[in-house]
Amino acid sequence: MFTTNEVLPEDLIIQILLWLPVVSLLRFKCVCKSWCALINGQNFINKHLLHNQTTSNKNRNAGFLLIQRQKSSNDRVFSKLQYESLEILSTQAVPSPYFGIPKHIRINIVSSINGLVCLNLNTANPDIVLWNPATNETKVLPKSGISYPQGRTLTRDVGFGFDFKTNDYKVVKLLEIFDPDSEYCINDINYFYAAEVYCLSTGSWRKVSTSAPGYFMDSGCYKTYTKGMFSWSAGIRDDLDYFPGILSFDMSNEVFLTTTLPDGDLEDPNGTWRIFFVLNELVSLVTFGKDRERLENCFYIWSLLEYGVKESWIKLFTIGPLMGIEKPLGFWKNESLFLRNNEGQLLLYDPSAQKITNLQVDGRPMQMITYVESLISLKGGNDLEEQGNS
């Protein structure tokens, strides 16, 4: 009796399997023990991810992960959209660690890298979950256990990224700690700031050796990740003043960089929203007015060429004025912009044609990110040398 490997060379089997989606590969693990061992092997997992990230395959295998609230039940669900067609491929419930959480607590997508998604809750000390939607594997991160004798600790925000030097996935947690002896004083309360890093390879937390700079997180705005750098909206402290900017963390060198926002088109008499996305692999800023009662709004788009250098912001273009738009949700190809209107519908604006398309998503879109499926496991780090760009 011939085995599969005697009929077809293993190299040919691998080349065929590399073209298959994750859902098919999970099924094919049941074909025989040799296929199961092959598909579970780190070498094949890495090859499959790199194959999906090649220029010719990237858009075919990539897509978007969308959090939305269903109209009928108000339950939160995750939907996968195909990159080219923007069709919904599948919809699934929130990961099991978040089953049963109250509906008023928001689930945030921190970022997605190589098919792994980091989620957290908008609570003071949230449970942080790593999740592979394709394999449905989840990992609830342990509490750090690091003590701060100065006093009460509050988690201000979370970041998720890839360390190119160690080929490891990292979660960084920004902490605000009450300290009566601190030089920083906000509303007559003294705080200092610290950061901790969780490494998937070790499964543990540790303090970041470089201290977090004095900043005040603007939690109402988005954060973003690109090419080994995670960035949050922040107030940059200069003597006694705060200036709007971004706080960025280098995942490999574990250092912080601050960049003040550009001048012009940022302030609105009724307040300005500032949201960060990734456009052409650069941190990009979208600003627009806060006044939801106004009929029209303009959206100003900037990109940052060099972290830490205010003068490297470049203004790309302006969208609008558009009517009935509540907020932007991210970019698609050719600088098209996903939007949510005042009725909670997901729209796509094409700046070249100046046309808005209703994508007919049945639910209220809350947040969306680019996403590529993978077999990457949450059981530990891996040895892939060219990751981190998804």
Side-chain angles (χ1 to χ4, degrees), residues 335-351:
E335 300 178 339
S336 295
L337 185 64
F338 294 107
L339 302 165
R340 185 176 76 198
N341 66 10
N342 295 337
E343 298 177 5
Q345 298 170 321
L346 180 62
L347 311 177
L348 180 68
Y349 178 77
D350 180 351

Side-chain angles (χ1 to χ4, degrees), residues 152-154 156 174-178 186 191-193 216:
R152 183 176 60 90
T153 300
L154 176 69
R156 290 306 305 262
L174 302 177
L175 303 173
E176 184 178 75
I177 302 165
F178 172 73
I186 303 174
Y191 292 95
F192 77 94
Y193 300 94
F216 183 78

Side-chain angles (χ1 to χ4, degrees), residues 80-91:
K80 297 176 188 174
L81 279 68
Q82 205 279 333
Y83 185 86
E84 290 293 344
S85 67
L86 298 180
E87 294 180 31
I88 292 183
L89 301 176
S90 63
T91 297

Side-chain angles (χ1 to χ4, degrees), residues 140-262:
V140 180
L141 270 57
K143 303 300 182 183
S144 75
I146 299 174
S147 62
Y148 295 88
Q150 293 88 349
R152 183 176 60 90
T153 300
L154 176 69
T155 299
R156 290 306 305 262
D157 219 323
V158 173
F160 177 55
F162 186 77
D163 182 342
F164 289 93
K165 288 185 178 180
T166 62
N167 302 315
D168 199 3
Y169 298 89
K170 292 180 176 179
V171 175
V172 57
K173 185 165 55 174
L174 302 177
L175 303 173
E176 184 178 75
I177 302 165
F178 172 73
D179 180 7
D181 298 323
S182 173
E183 62 179 299
Y184 302 126
C185 181
I186 303 174
N187 295 330
D188 297 325
I189 302 176
N190 294 318
Y191 292 95
F192 77 94
Y193 300 94
E196 297 174 2
V197 164
Y198 174 91
C199 297
L200 184 59
S201 62
T202 63
S204 60
W205 291 92
R206 57 179 170 78
K207 289 182 181 180
V208 175
S209 56
T210 56
S211 60
Y215 61 88
F216 183 78
M217 299 305 301
D218 187 354
S219 57
C221 295
Y222 283 5
K223 46 214 166 197
T224 194
Y225 170 84
T226 181
K227 298 194 292 188
M229 299 286 288
F230 197 96
S231 298
W232 301 265
S233 176
I236 310 302
R237 190 174 189 277
D238 182 11
D239 295 327
L240 298 177
D241 293 325
Y242 283 89
F243 298 94
I246 61 171
L247 175 70
S248 303
F249 183 74
D250 185 327
M251 290 288 171
S252 295
N253 298 314
E254 296 190 357
V255 296
F256 288 96
L257 293 170
T258 57
T259 312
T260 306
L261 294 190

Side-chain angles (χ1 to χ4, degrees), residues 10-194:
E10 184 174 284
D11 288 348
L12 180 56
I13 293 175
I14 291 174
Q15 290 304 312
I16 294 172
L17 294 179
L18 289 178
W19 287 91
L20 298 181
V22 171
V23 63
S24 298
L25 292 172
L26 295 178
R27 284 202 306 268
F28 288 170
K29 287 165 64 174
C30 301
V31 171
C32 60
K33 289 183 178 179
S34 62
W35 276 33
C36 182
L38 172 67
I39 295 170
N40 282 336
Q42 193 62 56
N43 186 50
F44 178 81
I45 290 173
N46 295 341
K47 284 183 177 179
H48 185 261
L49 177 61
L50 286 176
H51 181 267
N52 285 348
Q53 290 179 336
T54 58
T55 304
S56 58
N57 296 324
K58 194 166 186 177
N59 289 350
R60 182 177 65 86
N61 295 295
F64 296 94
L65 191 65
L66 171 70
I67 298 182
Q68 56 178 322
R69 285 190 178 272
Q70 293 180 316
K71 290 181 179 179
S72 56
S73 63
N74 205 34
D75 289 336
R76 289 156 295 211
V77 294
F78 286 83
S79 295
K80 297 176 188 174
L81 279 68
Q82 205 279 333
Y83 185 86
E84 290 293 344
S85 67
L86 298 180
E87 294 180 31
I88 292 183
L89 301 176
S90 63
T91 297
Q92 61 195 105
V94 299
S96 57
Y98 287 158
F99 284 175
I101 64 170
K103 292 184 178 182
H104 70 274
I105 295 180
R106 189 174 70 245
I107 299 176
N108 299 314
I109 301 178
V110 179
S111 66
S112 173
I113 301 135
N114 300 328
L116 300 185
V117 179
C118 181
L119 305 171
N120 78 329
L121 305 178
N122 62 327
T123 56
N125 290 291
D127 286 332
I128 303 169
V129 172
L130 296 181
W131 176 42
N132 185 328
T135 64
N136 213 28
E137 184 183 3
T138 60
K139 184 181 185 71
V140 180
L141 270 57
K143 303 300 182 183
S144 75
I146 299 174
S147 62
Y148 295 88
Q150 293 88 349
R152 183 176 60 90
T153 300
L154 176 69
T155 299
R156 290 306 305 262
D157 219 323
V158 173
F160 177 55
F162 186 77
D163 182 342
F164 289 93
K165 288 185 178 180
T166 62
N167 302 315
D168 199 3
Y169 298 89
K170 292 180 176 179
V171 175
V172 57
K173 185 165 55 174
L174 302 177
L175 303 173
E176 184 178 75
I177 302 165
F178 172 73
D179 180 7
D181 298 323
S182 173
E183 62 179 299
Y184 302 126
C185 181
I186 303 174
N187 295 330
D188 297 325
I189 302 176
N190 294 318
Y191 292 95
F192 77 94
Y193 300 94

